[in-house]
Amino acid sequence: MLGTERRTPPVAPRPGQNVPSALLDAAALSTVRRRAGLRPAPARPGPGRAPEDPRPALPTAARSRLALLLADRSAPGRGGSRSAPDLAELLPQWLALANHHGYRVPDALLPALLDAARARTDLRAEALTLGGPRALWLARLNPDWKFALRGAAGRASAAHPEPSEAAAAPDEEQRLWEEGLFAERVSLLAAARHRDPAAGLALLSGTWSTERAEDRLMFLDSLRDDLSPSDEPFLEQALSDRSRNVRATAAELLSALPGSALAARMAERSRSCVSLTADEPSADAPTVEGSTDEGSTHDGLTADEPTAAGRTPRITVRPPDECDSGMQRDGIVPKPPSGRGERSWWLGQLVEATPLDRWTEWFGGRGPAEIVALPVADGWQADLHAAWCRAAVRQRSAEWCRALLGTPAVAPVTAGEAAPAAWRDPAKLLSALPSRERAEWVAEFIASHGLSDAFRLLGVCAVPWAEPLGRAVVDALDIARDAGSYPWSFSGIMGLAERCLDPTQADRLEVLTAIPDEREGAAPGAGGYWAEAFQRLVGTLRLREAMRAELDPT
């Protein structure tokens, strides 16, 4: 800090060498000597032999491609051009394709694969599946890869009995469950539940009372994938857990079981709050406390179904007056978020946990579309429909999701608006529909509204995009280019198209790679940017097609 002119260092410069250089040489020599020194320590036994992996090895071309993707090097001839494919974005898709064909990763590439998965959480599930039992074996030898032993490894464990081949040795499995590291226990529980849900639950039940609250929460959440009615007694007991988060998770899981006692209790509460009446609404009827947007309506509602007395049926809502101890035990959170009324908050949680088929039973046999079309009195429509949306997604009811989605031509309420005004989240509702139906709905939506609100919708569509979705996206991009739109506004959609369009469409898109004539009023340089973007799209599609051919065993 003082410098060699003010403080003479204890080093002797060589002939012709100045003092600062001599000091730096001495520091470098000292560093090498310190790093090279080996302190005596007790010898440890070497690691056991890695488990065998009987899956076929990657074809030669595919192995070279994986090495290139893991190295994250530029494609040949890229030269920094914006029109070259982004190899890092193609790695998740390559891993999924390789796992689809049942290959195993070459041993020499395992460290690079684990390093890539450590840096990117979106790669972990597929990377550990490709790595198989040898990836988990290797991860135990390097603390940098301990992530592989956590929950993501549980999926791989179902196919590759790890750790310690516990599935074949019940006594060893029990010992590992009682004495193992937390990551190993999570992995073991996931594998046991996948193999035998009842046996996995018995494993958890045996130590439940001695687990820490945060561990109980993680273990409880791992029951979600293989949830069944046989889990209900255990989950009912968890409703009395000391931890509020554990109680809430148990209630959520129980509400996903339409035949559970909790779902029945929630249904009875909802029935006392929501009913179908034929009374004419009073002009001076007072409104009750609700959300900040109680006057919102839905364009698809109709009021043209008369009753026998000539009156129009409508849904009336009387939300709970209090959140009693029984409701709280069943998972109702008493304190609402900022901006929400207490009673509307309680109502939404009750309706969300009610089995959807009960509404058909209570509303005279009407189907979901008819129920959604009924008018709702006193401004409660947004709250009620928002709760139905959450219930439809949680219970994976395609029929209710279709009814709540409505037609793609109706402009959506964006999810960024204040709740419950944004009562409809199309992306979540679409997730419960078959993949083909999802693609057709989003294609029609894009044809009606363009791409500005389509990003989240495209994210829930299966890859590669089924027609007519791919054609609708490309046509919308072409229209945006011809209209002189700012090209960088569509960079996110372009990125999705590179990863999700059918690779066989590359030749059809070649015509879009030419630089168009500059239009009056267009963004400066937009034509060149659009041309580069389409060149990159075509190049990426062709690269994906080559990757698919390299992995195809036929």
Side-chain angles (χ1 to χ4, degrees):
M1 292 178 65
L2 294 176
T4 56
E5 292 183 355
R6 297 181 59 187
R7 177 70 62 84
T8 303
V11 295
R14 299 191 306 270
Q17 185 184 37
N18 57 32
V19 175
S21 297
L23 175 61
L24 292 176
D25 284 350
L29 181 61
S30 175
T31 300
V32 172
R33 181 172 62 248
R34 174 171 49 83
R35 290 179 177 176
L38 178 64
R39 295 183 178 182
R44 294 185 299 176
R49 183 181 179 86
E52 295 297 330
D53 191 339
R55 295 176 298 172
L58 284 169
T60 302
R63 174 177 177 147
S64 299
R65 180 74 66 187
L66 176 59
L68 181 66
L69 293 173
L70 290 175
D72 197 20
R73 294 195 297 269
S74 299
R78 181 171 182 172
S81 171
R82 289 182 300 180
S83 61
D86 186 345
L87 299 185
E89 291 300 319
L90 296 180
L91 182 54
Q93 196 167 118
W94 187 96
L95 292 172
L97 279 171
N99 286 328
H100 174 74
H101 290 294
Y103 291 117
R104 61 176 171 84
V105 68
D107 294 341
L109 294 179
L110 265 175
L113 181 65
L114 287 169
D115 280 340
R118 179 195 179 197
R120 293 180 55 180
T121 57
D122 62 314
L123 299 178
R124 291 182 179 178
E126 295 289 357
L128 293 175
T129 300
L130 186 68
R134 292 195 163 197
L136 298 182
W137 174 85
L138 196 60
R140 292 190 182 91
L141 306 178
N142 186 345
D144 288 344
W145 299 329
K146 61 184 178 182
F147 71 87
L149 305 176
R150 298 190 185 121
R155 297 186 183 91
S157 300
H160 311 286
E162 288 282 336
S164 303
E165 301 294 335
D171 292 341
E172 179 65 15
E173 183 177 80
Q174 185 66 37
R175 185 196 64 79
L176 185 62
W177 173 252
E178 295 175 353
E179 303 176 7
L181 300 174
F182 176 72
E184 293 176 318
R185 300 178 72 210
V186 171
S187 174
L188 175 62
L189 179 61
R193 283 281 296 178
H194 186 79
R195 183 179 69 250
D196 185 349
L201 186 63
L203 202 66
L204 179 58
S205 301
T207 60
W208 179 258
S209 61
T210 62
E211 305 287 355
R212 300 183 304 167
E214 54 267 36
D215 293 350
R216 294 199 304 276
L217 181 62
M218 291 289 292
F219 290 141
L220 196 63
D221 193 65
S222 69
L223 304 182
R224 193 180 303 273
D225 289 341
D226 297 289
L227 191 65
S228 69
S230 62
D231 298 325
E232 182 180 355
F234 176 80
L235 294 174
E236 275 285 343
Q237 292 180 357
L239 290 176
S240 302
D241 195 88
R242 300 184 302 276
S243 168
R244 183 182 66 180
N245 291 332
V246 172
R247 294 195 302 270
T249 302
E252 180 185 349
L253 294 176
L254 282 168
S255 67
L257 297 171
S260 68
L262 179 138
R265 294 194 295 270
M266 292 297 198
E268 285 305 310
R269 295 174 180 126
S270 293
R271 189 175 188 180
S272 66
C273 296
V274 182
S275 60
L276 186 66
T277 65
D279 297 330
E280 293 292 346
S282 175
D284 58 351
T287 59
V288 291
E289 176 196 7
S291 69
T292 56
D293 188 35
E294 294 179 346
S296 63
T297 58
H298 179 248
D299 295 338
L301 291 180
T302 60
D304 55 359
E305 185 180 355
T307 65
R311 294 175 177 175
T312 301
R314 63 192 179 109
I315 298 174
T316 58
V317 176
R318 177 178 173 78
D321 293 319
E322 63 174 342
C323 184
D324 57 34
S325 59
M327 291 169 61
Q328 294 183 44
R329 181 183 182 276
D330 284 345
I332 302 299
V333 179
K335 185 176 181 180
S338 177
R340 292 291 304 275
E342 283 186 333
R343 301 177 70 194
S344 65
W345 173 244
W346 301 333
L347 173 73
Q349 295 178 79
L350 291 177
V351 174
E352 178 183 352
T354 298
L356 290 166
D357 58 3
R358 296 295 183 92
W359 301 106
T360 297
E361 175 187 338
W362 296 334
F363 288 0
R366 290 176 172 84
E370 296 174 286
I371 294 174
V372 170
L374 290 170
V376 183
D378 299 329
W380 284 102
Q381 177 183 299
D383 295 273
L384 185 60
H385 284 211
W388 277 340
C389 285
R390 295 192 297 272
V393 173
R394 179 184 295 184
Q395 299 175 35
R396 312 305 294 172
S397 173
E399 192 176 6
W400 272 89
C401 285
R402 290 189 194 100
L404 291 161
L405 269 171
T407 61
V410 177
V413 180
T414 60
E417 294 184 16
W423 62 265
R424 182 176 67 165
D425 188 341
K428 290 184 178 179
L429 292 170
L430 283 168
S431 67
L433 299 182
S435 58
R436 182 76 187 185
E437 187 176 352
R438 263 180 273 169
E440 292 172 351
W441 197 95
V442 177
E444 188 176 342
F445 177 91
I446 291 173
S448 301
H449 306 288
L451 294 168
S452 58
D453 293 317
F455 188 82
R456 291 185 68 244
L457 305 183
L458 290 169
V460 300
C461 293
V463 178
W465 289 334
E467 293 301 336
L469 178 55
R471 187 181 305 109
V473 172
V474 173
D475 289 346
L477 288 170
D478 193 19
I479 291 172
R481 180 187 66 167
D482 291 343
S485 301
Y486 290 100
W488 44 89
S489 301
F490 299 91
S491 58
I493 299 291
M494 272 291 191
L496 276 179
E498 291 174 14
R499 300 188 295 276
C500 303
L501 272 176
D502 191 330
T504 60
Q505 300 297 313
D507 291 340
R508 186 174 69 87
L509 301 178
E510 185 70 42
V511 67
L512 300 176
T513 60
I515 299 178
D517 296 332
E518 291 288 345
R519 296 170 56 92
E520 184 177 354
Y529 181 96
W530 279 110
E532 279 193 347
F534 281 117
Q535 289 167 14
R536 172 169 166 157
L537 175 59
V538 171
T540 302
L541 293 179
R542 287 179 172 153
L543 179 56
R544 286 175 52 209
E545 181 64 25
M547 287 166 41
R548 187 163 64 179
E550 292 165 357
L551 288 166
D552 192 345
T554 60

